[in-house]
PDB file of all heavy atoms in Angstrom:
ATOM      1  N   GLU A  52       4.670   3.307  -1.080  1.00  0.00           N
ATOM      2  CA  GLU A  52       4.956   4.114   0.092  1.00  0.00           C
ATOM      3  C   GLU A  52       6.150   3.472   0.823  1.00  0.00           C
ATOM      4  O   GLU A  52       6.128   2.321   1.148  1.00  0.00           O
ATOM      5  CB  GLU A  52       3.719   4.152   1.043  1.00  0.00           C
ATOM      6  CG  GLU A  52       3.833   5.109   2.131  1.00  0.00           C
ATOM      7  CD  GLU A  52       2.512   5.149   2.974  1.00  0.00           C
ATOM      8  OE1 GLU A  52       2.231   4.252   3.732  1.00  0.00           O
ATOM      9  OE2 GLU A  52       1.773   6.126   2.820  1.00  0.00           O
ATOM     10  N   PHE A  53       7.134   4.293   0.983  1.00  0.00           N
ATOM     11  CA  PHE A  53       8.297   3.853   1.758  1.00  0.00           C
ATOM     12  C   PHE A  53       8.061   4.051   3.281  1.00  0.00           C
ATOM     13  O   PHE A  53       8.004   5.181   3.777  1.00  0.00           O
ATOM     14  CB  PHE A  53       9.597   4.547   1.368  1.00  0.00           C
ATOM     15  CG  PHE A  53      10.006   4.449  -0.036  1.00  0.00           C
ATOM     16  CD1 PHE A  53      10.913   5.264  -0.639  1.00  0.00           C
ATOM     17  CD2 PHE A  53       9.489   3.368  -0.805  1.00  0.00           C
ATOM     18  CE1 PHE A  53      11.302   5.090  -1.992  1.00  0.00           C
ATOM     19  CE2 PHE A  53       9.865   3.189  -2.135  1.00  0.00           C
ATOM     20  CZ  PHE A  53      10.771   4.046  -2.703  1.00  0.00           C
ATOM     21  N   ARG A  54       7.888   2.896   4.001  1.00  0.00           N
ATOM     22  CA  ARG A  54       7.610   3.010   5.460  1.00  0.00           C
ATOM     23  C   ARG A  54       8.722   2.317   6.273  1.00  0.00           C
ATOM     24  O   ARG A  54       9.285   1.288   5.745  1.00  0.00           O
ATOM     25  CB  ARG A  54       6.280   2.289   5.847  1.00  0.00           C
ATOM     26  CG  ARG A  54       5.075   2.912   5.208  1.00  0.00           C
ATOM     27  CD  ARG A  54       3.873   2.063   5.705  1.00  0.00           C
ATOM     28  NE  ARG A  54       2.781   2.076   4.704  1.00  0.00           N
ATOM     29  CZ  ARG A  54       1.867   1.097   4.644  1.00  0.00           C
ATOM     30  NH1 ARG A  54       1.898   0.106   5.516  1.00  0.00           N
ATOM     31  NH2 ARG A  54       0.908   1.093   3.727  1.00  0.00           N
ATOM     32  N   TYR A  55       8.977   2.827   7.408  1.00  0.00           N
ATOM     33  CA  TYR A  55       9.958   2.216   8.305  1.00  0.00           C
ATOM     34  C   TYR A  55       9.334   1.041   9.001  1.00  0.00           C
ATOM     35  O   TYR A  55       8.313   1.130   9.624  1.00  0.00           O
ATOM     36  CB  TYR A  55      10.517   3.202   9.324  1.00  0.00           C
ATOM     37  CG  TYR A  55      11.829   2.807   9.923  1.00  0.00           C
ATOM     38  CD1 TYR A  55      13.003   2.924   9.232  1.00  0.00           C
ATOM     39  CD2 TYR A  55      11.883   2.228  11.192  1.00  0.00           C
ATOM     40  CE1 TYR A  55      14.197   2.530   9.789  1.00  0.00           C
ATOM     41  CE2 TYR A  55      13.099   1.854  11.775  1.00  0.00           C
ATOM     42  CZ  TYR A  55      14.211   1.990  11.080  1.00  0.00           C
ATOM     43  OH  TYR A  55      15.486   1.579  11.559  1.00  0.00           O
ATOM     44  N   SER A  56       9.959  -0.122   8.853  1.00  0.00           N
ATOM     45  CA  SER A  56       9.417  -1.342   9.467  1.00  0.00           C
ATOM     46  C   SER A  56      10.592  -2.240   9.920  1.00  0.00           C
ATOM     47  O   SER A  56      11.499  -2.578   9.123  1.00  0.00           O
ATOM     48  CB  SER A  56       8.626  -2.130   8.424  1.00  0.00           C
ATOM     49  OG  SER A  56       8.078  -3.327   8.969  1.00  0.00           O
ATOM     50  N   GLY A  57      10.609  -2.580  11.145  1.00  0.00           N
ATOM     51  CA  GLY A  57      11.699  -3.343  11.701  1.00  0.00           C
ATOM     52  C   GLY A  57      12.900  -2.419  11.880  1.00  0.00           C
ATOM     53  O   GLY A  57      12.926  -1.503  12.661  1.00  0.00           O
ATOM     54  N   ASN A  58      13.928  -2.730  11.094  1.00  0.00           N
ATOM     55  CA  ASN A  58      15.126  -1.902  11.158  1.00  0.00           C
ATOM     56  C   ASN A  58      15.489  -1.154   9.855  1.00  0.00           C
ATOM     57  O   ASN A  58      16.575  -0.733   9.643  1.00  0.00           O
ATOM     58  CB  ASN A  58      16.355  -2.733  11.636  1.00  0.00           C
ATOM     59  CG  ASN A  58      16.602  -3.810  10.612  1.00  0.00           C
ATOM     60  OD1 ASN A  58      15.840  -4.086   9.691  1.00  0.00           O
ATOM     61  ND2 ASN A  58      17.726  -4.549  10.890  1.00  0.00           N
ATOM     62  N   ARG A  59      14.474  -1.058   8.944  1.00  0.00           N
ATOM     63  CA  ARG A  59      14.728  -0.450   7.675  1.00  0.00           C
ATOM     64  C   ARG A  59      13.444   0.007   6.989  1.00  0.00           C
ATOM     65  O   ARG A  59      12.383  -0.411   7.369  1.00  0.00           O
ATOM     66  CB  ARG A  59      15.564  -1.395   6.753  1.00  0.00           C
ATOM     67  CG  ARG A  59      14.799  -2.662   6.420  1.00  0.00           C
ATOM     68  CD  ARG A  59      15.669  -3.668   5.620  1.00  0.00           C
ATOM     69  NE  ARG A  59      15.997  -3.180   4.297  1.00  0.00           N
ATOM     70  CZ  ARG A  59      17.165  -2.673   3.908  1.00  0.00           C
ATOM     71  NH1 ARG A  59      18.165  -2.610   4.772  1.00  0.00           N
ATOM     72  NH2 ARG A  59      17.375  -2.292   2.685  1.00  0.00           N
ATOM     73  N   PHE A  60      13.643   0.842   5.968  1.00  0.00           N
ATOM     74  CA  PHE A  60      12.467   1.186   5.148  1.00  0.00           C
ATOM     75  C   PHE A  60      12.161   0.122   4.128  1.00  0.00           C
ATOM     76  O   PHE A  60      13.044  -0.524   3.591  1.00  0.00           O
ATOM     77  CB  PHE A  60      12.771   2.510   4.416  1.00  0.00           C
ATOM     78  CG  PHE A  60      12.722   3.757   5.271  1.00  0.00           C
ATOM     79  CD1 PHE A  60      13.872   4.246   5.822  1.00  0.00           C
ATOM     80  CD2 PHE A  60      11.524   4.409   5.502  1.00  0.00           C
ATOM     81  CE1 PHE A  60      13.808   5.352   6.611  1.00  0.00           C
ATOM     82  CE2 PHE A  60      11.441   5.500   6.307  1.00  0.00           C
ATOM     83  CZ  PHE A  60      12.584   6.000   6.843  1.00  0.00           C
ATOM     84  N   LYS A  61      10.833  -0.088   3.879  1.00  0.00           N
ATOM     85  CA  LYS A  61      10.347  -1.069   2.928  1.00  0.00           C
ATOM     86  C   LYS A  61       9.226  -0.451   2.068  1.00  0.00           C
ATOM     87  O   LYS A  61       8.637   0.562   2.476  1.00  0.00           O
ATOM     88  CB  LYS A  61       9.789  -2.307   3.640  1.00  0.00           C
ATOM     89  CG  LYS A  61      10.868  -3.039   4.491  1.00  0.00           C
ATOM     90  CD  LYS A  61      10.201  -4.220   5.229  1.00  0.00           C
ATOM     91  CE  LYS A  61      11.219  -4.929   6.106  1.00  0.00           C
ATOM     92  NZ  LYS A  61      10.670  -6.060   6.880  1.00  0.00           N
ATOM     93  N   SER A  62       9.028  -0.978   0.925  1.00  0.00           N
ATOM     94  CA  SER A  62       7.967  -0.523  -0.008  1.00  0.00           C
ATOM     95  C   SER A  62       6.666  -1.191   0.274  1.00  0.00           C
ATOM     96  O   SER A  62       6.594  -2.411   0.279  1.00  0.00           O
ATOM     97  CB  SER A  62       8.409  -0.830  -1.490  1.00  0.00           C
ATOM     98  OG  SER A  62       9.565  -0.097  -1.826  1.00  0.00           O
ATOM     99  N   TYR A  63       5.644  -0.364   0.433  1.00  0.00           N
ATOM    100  CA  TYR A  63       4.283  -0.941   0.740  1.00  0.00           C
ATOM    101  C   TYR A  63       3.290  -0.394  -0.281  1.00  0.00           C
ATOM    102  O   TYR A  63       3.381   0.809  -0.712  1.00  0.00           O
ATOM    103  CB  TYR A  63       3.834  -0.526   2.114  1.00  0.00           C
ATOM    104  CG  TYR A  63       4.500  -1.229   3.278  1.00  0.00           C
ATOM    105  CD1 TYR A  63       5.710  -0.770   3.762  1.00  0.00           C
ATOM    106  CD2 TYR A  63       3.929  -2.437   3.789  1.00  0.00           C
ATOM    107  CE1 TYR A  63       6.305  -1.456   4.839  1.00  0.00           C
ATOM    108  CE2 TYR A  63       4.554  -3.105   4.786  1.00  0.00           C
ATOM    109  CZ  TYR A  63       5.755  -2.600   5.327  1.00  0.00           C
ATOM    110  OH  TYR A  63       6.354  -3.323   6.354  1.00  0.00           O
ATOM    111  N   ILE A  64       2.391  -1.139  -0.667  1.00  0.00           N
ATOM    112  CA  ILE A  64       1.174  -0.718  -1.431  1.00  0.00           C
ATOM    113  C   ILE A  64       0.256   0.030  -0.448  1.00  0.00           C
ATOM    114  O   ILE A  64      -0.163  -0.526   0.568  1.00  0.00           O
ATOM    115  CB  ILE A  64       0.420  -1.866  -2.075  1.00  0.00           C
ATOM    116  CG1 ILE A  64       1.322  -2.675  -3.014  1.00  0.00           C
ATOM    117  CG2 ILE A  64      -0.831  -1.361  -2.821  1.00  0.00           C
ATOM    118  CD1 ILE A  64       0.764  -3.994  -3.447  1.00  0.00           C
ATOM    119  N   PRO A  65      -0.001   1.308  -0.721  1.00  0.00           N
ATOM    120  CA  PRO A  65      -0.803   2.103   0.276  1.00  0.00           C
ATOM    121  C   PRO A  65      -2.272   1.682   0.231  1.00  0.00           C
ATOM    122  O   PRO A  65      -2.766   1.053  -0.653  1.00  0.00           O
ATOM    123  CB  PRO A  65      -0.642   3.550  -0.206  1.00  0.00           C
ATOM    124  CG  PRO A  65      -0.317   3.428  -1.652  1.00  0.00           C
ATOM    125  CD  PRO A  65       0.467   2.132  -1.841  1.00  0.00           C
ATOM    126  N   ASN A  66      -2.993   2.070   1.306  1.00  0.00           N
ATOM    127  CA  ASN A  66      -4.409   1.683   1.472  1.00  0.00           C
ATOM    128  C   ASN A  66      -5.240   2.253   0.323  1.00  0.00           C
ATOM    129  O   ASN A  66      -6.243   1.644  -0.076  1.00  0.00           O
ATOM    130  CB  ASN A  66      -4.947   2.203   2.823  1.00  0.00           C
ATOM    131  CG  ASN A  66      -4.274   1.480   4.009  1.00  0.00           C
ATOM    132  OD1 ASN A  66      -3.883   0.286   3.873  1.00  0.00           O
ATOM    133  ND2 ASN A  66      -4.246   2.152   5.130  1.00  0.00           N
ATOM    134  N   SER A  67      -4.815   3.451  -0.195  1.00  0.00           N
ATOM    135  CA  SER A  67      -5.576   4.024  -1.256  1.00  0.00           C
ATOM    136  C   SER A  67      -5.676   3.097  -2.517  1.00  0.00           C
ATOM    137  O   SER A  67      -6.713   3.081  -3.220  1.00  0.00           O
ATOM    138  CB  SER A  67      -4.946   5.349  -1.685  1.00  0.00           C
ATOM    139  OG  SER A  67      -3.620   5.207  -2.109  1.00  0.00           O
ATOM    140  N   VAL A  68      -4.618   2.331  -2.759  1.00  0.00           N
ATOM    141  CA  VAL A  68      -4.639   1.465  -3.898  1.00  0.00           C
ATOM    142  C   VAL A  68      -5.618   0.279  -3.699  1.00  0.00           C
ATOM    143  O   VAL A  68      -6.342  -0.102  -4.651  1.00  0.00           O
ATOM    144  CB  VAL A  68      -3.204   0.848  -4.126  1.00  0.00           C
ATOM    145  CG1 VAL A  68      -3.230  -0.234  -5.254  1.00  0.00           C
ATOM    146  CG2 VAL A  68      -2.246   1.958  -4.623  1.00  0.00           C
ATOM    147  N   PHE A  69      -5.744  -0.201  -2.523  1.00  0.00           N
ATOM    148  CA  PHE A  69      -6.749  -1.257  -2.193  1.00  0.00           C
ATOM    149  C   PHE A  69      -8.187  -0.702  -2.442  1.00  0.00           C
ATOM    150  O   PHE A  69      -8.979  -1.447  -2.975  1.00  0.00           O
ATOM    151  CB  PHE A  69      -6.581  -1.724  -0.736  1.00  0.00           C
ATOM    152  CG  PHE A  69      -5.351  -2.573  -0.506  1.00  0.00           C
ATOM    153  CD1 PHE A  69      -4.092  -2.048  -0.267  1.00  0.00           C
ATOM    154  CD2 PHE A  69      -5.483  -3.995  -0.458  1.00  0.00           C
ATOM    155  CE1 PHE A  69      -3.002  -2.809  -0.040  1.00  0.00           C
ATOM    156  CE2 PHE A  69      -4.390  -4.776  -0.291  1.00  0.00           C
ATOM    157  CZ  PHE A  69      -3.134  -4.160  -0.057  1.00  0.00           C
ATOM    158  N   LYS A  70      -8.399   0.532  -2.018  1.00  0.00           N
ATOM    159  CA  LYS A  70      -9.661   1.153  -2.271  1.00  0.00           C
ATOM    160  C   LYS A  70      -9.981   1.256  -3.758  1.00  0.00           C
ATOM    161  O   LYS A  70     -11.060   1.011  -4.248  1.00  0.00           O
ATOM    162  CB  LYS A  70      -9.774   2.484  -1.543  1.00  0.00           C
ATOM    163  CG  LYS A  70      -9.760   2.391   0.024  1.00  0.00           C
ATOM    164  CD  LYS A  70      -9.846   3.808   0.580  1.00  0.00           C
ATOM    165  CE  LYS A  70      -9.791   3.718   2.136  1.00  0.00           C
ATOM    166  NZ  LYS A  70      -9.785   5.094   2.721  1.00  0.00           N
ATOM    167  N   THR A  71      -8.960   1.773  -4.435  1.00  0.00           N
ATOM    168  CA  THR A  71      -9.123   1.946  -5.912  1.00  0.00           C
ATOM    169  C   THR A  71      -9.450   0.619  -6.627  1.00  0.00           C
ATOM    170  O   THR A  71     -10.310   0.568  -7.496  1.00  0.00           O
ATOM    171  CB  THR A  71      -7.760   2.486  -6.518  1.00  0.00           C
ATOM    172  OG1 THR A  71      -7.497   3.732  -5.947  1.00  0.00           O
ATOM    173  CG2 THR A  71      -7.890   2.649  -8.042  1.00  0.00           C
ATOM    174  N   ILE A  72      -8.748  -0.442  -6.280  1.00  0.00           N
ATOM    175  CA  ILE A  72      -9.034  -1.754  -6.857  1.00  0.00           C
ATOM    176  C   ILE A  72     -10.452  -2.212  -6.579  1.00  0.00           C
ATOM    177  O   ILE A  72     -11.116  -2.681  -7.494  1.00  0.00           O
ATOM    178  CB  ILE A  72      -8.018  -2.833  -6.366  1.00  0.00           C
ATOM    179  CG1 ILE A  72      -6.633  -2.526  -6.885  1.00  0.00           C
ATOM    180  CG2 ILE A  72      -8.440  -4.249  -6.809  1.00  0.00           C
ATOM    181  CD1 ILE A  72      -5.553  -3.409  -6.354  1.00  0.00           C
ATOM    182  N   ASN A  73     -10.842  -2.082  -5.352  1.00  0.00           N
ATOM    183  CA  ASN A  73     -12.248  -2.415  -5.005  1.00  0.00           C
ATOM    184  C   ASN A  73     -13.250  -1.654  -5.829  1.00  0.00           C
ATOM    185  O   ASN A  73     -14.262  -2.202  -6.291  1.00  0.00           O
ATOM    186  CB  ASN A  73     -12.484  -2.237  -3.489  1.00  0.00           C
ATOM    187  CG  ASN A  73     -12.090  -3.413  -2.716  1.00  0.00           C
ATOM    188  OD1 ASN A  73     -12.786  -4.423  -2.674  1.00  0.00           O
ATOM    189  ND2 ASN A  73     -10.988  -3.379  -2.010  1.00  0.00           N
ATOM    190  N   ASN A  74     -13.011  -0.358  -5.986  1.00  0.00           N
ATOM    191  CA  ASN A  74     -13.950   0.462  -6.803  1.00  0.00           C
ATOM    192  C   ASN A  74     -13.932   0.034  -8.256  1.00  0.00           C
ATOM    193  O   ASN A  74     -14.991  -0.019  -8.906  1.00  0.00           O
ATOM    194  CB  ASN A  74     -13.495   1.939  -6.684  1.00  0.00           C
ATOM    195  CG  ASN A  74     -13.767   2.504  -5.325  1.00  0.00           C
ATOM    196  OD1 ASN A  74     -14.619   2.004  -4.568  1.00  0.00           O
ATOM    197  ND2 ASN A  74     -13.085   3.576  -4.958  1.00  0.00           N
ATOM    198  N   LYS A  75     -12.773  -0.307  -8.779  1.00  0.00           N
ATOM    199  CA  LYS A  75     -12.656  -0.760 -10.179  1.00  0.00           C
ATOM    200  C   LYS A  75     -13.411  -2.068 -10.354  1.00  0.00           C
ATOM    201  O   LYS A  75     -14.081  -2.286 -11.433  1.00  0.00           O
ATOM    202  CB  LYS A  75     -11.236  -0.941 -10.595  1.00  0.00           C
ATOM    203  CG  LYS A  75     -10.503   0.258 -10.894  1.00  0.00           C
ATOM    204  CD  LYS A  75      -9.090  -0.022 -11.430  1.00  0.00           C
ATOM    205  CE  LYS A  75      -8.395   1.231 -11.908  1.00  0.00           C
ATOM    206  NZ  LYS A  75      -7.054   0.933 -12.421  1.00  0.00           N
ATOM    207  N   LEU A  76     -13.373  -2.947  -9.416  1.00  0.00           N
ATOM    208  CA  LEU A  76     -13.995  -4.268  -9.535  1.00  0.00           C
ATOM    209  C   LEU A  76     -15.475  -4.280  -9.236  1.00  0.00           C
ATOM    210  O   LEU A  76     -16.224  -5.145  -9.623  1.00  0.00           O
ATOM    211  CB  LEU A  76     -13.288  -5.304  -8.646  1.00  0.00           C
ATOM    212  CG  LEU A  76     -11.850  -5.615  -9.022  1.00  0.00           C
ATOM    213  CD1 LEU A  76     -11.227  -6.553  -8.061  1.00  0.00           C
ATOM    214  CD2 LEU A  76     -11.761  -6.120 -10.466  1.00  0.00           C
ATOM    215  N   ASP A  77     -15.973  -3.232  -8.483  1.00  0.00           N
ATOM    216  CA  ASP A  77     -17.372  -3.170  -8.142  1.00  0.00           C
ATOM    217  C   ASP A  77     -18.270  -3.108  -9.344  1.00  0.00           C
ATOM    218  O   ASP A  77     -19.481  -3.526  -9.224  1.00  0.00           O
ATOM    219  CB  ASP A  77     -17.590  -1.918  -7.202  1.00  0.00           C
ATOM    220  CG  ASP A  77     -17.243  -2.224  -5.771  1.00  0.00           C
ATOM    221  OD1 ASP A  77     -17.147  -3.390  -5.408  1.00  0.00           O
ATOM    222  OD2 ASP A  77     -17.103  -1.184  -4.990  1.00  0.00           O
ATOM    223  N   ILE A  78     -17.782  -2.571 -10.472  1.00  0.00           N
ATOM    224  CA  ILE A  78     -18.689  -2.456 -11.597  1.00  0.00           C
ATOM    225  C   ILE A  78     -19.067  -3.788 -12.228  1.00  0.00           C
ATOM    226  O   ILE A  78     -19.933  -3.848 -13.134  1.00  0.00           O
ATOM    227  CB  ILE A  78     -18.060  -1.548 -12.710  1.00  0.00           C
ATOM    228  CG1 ILE A  78     -16.775  -2.209 -13.279  1.00  0.00           C
ATOM    229  CG2 ILE A  78     -17.744  -0.161 -12.138  1.00  0.00           C
ATOM    230  CD1 ILE A  78     -16.272  -1.494 -14.514  1.00  0.00           C
TER     231      ILE A  78
END
């Protein structure tokens, strides 16, 4: 996700990916 932070856009891993990883590891 390209989000504006400080004085420019930066690439961020979105919250949905964190949830996906947790679901994958829960098994």
Side-chain angles (χ1 to χ4, degrees):
E52 189 175 76
F53 297 164
R54 298 181 210 155
Y55 199 77
S56 177
N58 60 352
R59 61 186 293 106
F60 284 94
K61 298 178 182 178
S62 295
Y63 287 87
I64 301 168
N66 292 333
S67 59
V68 172
F69 286 84
K70 292 179 182 178
T71 299
I72 292 175
N73 272 286
N74 291 337
K75 281 186 176 181
L76 295 178
D77 278 343
I78 66 171

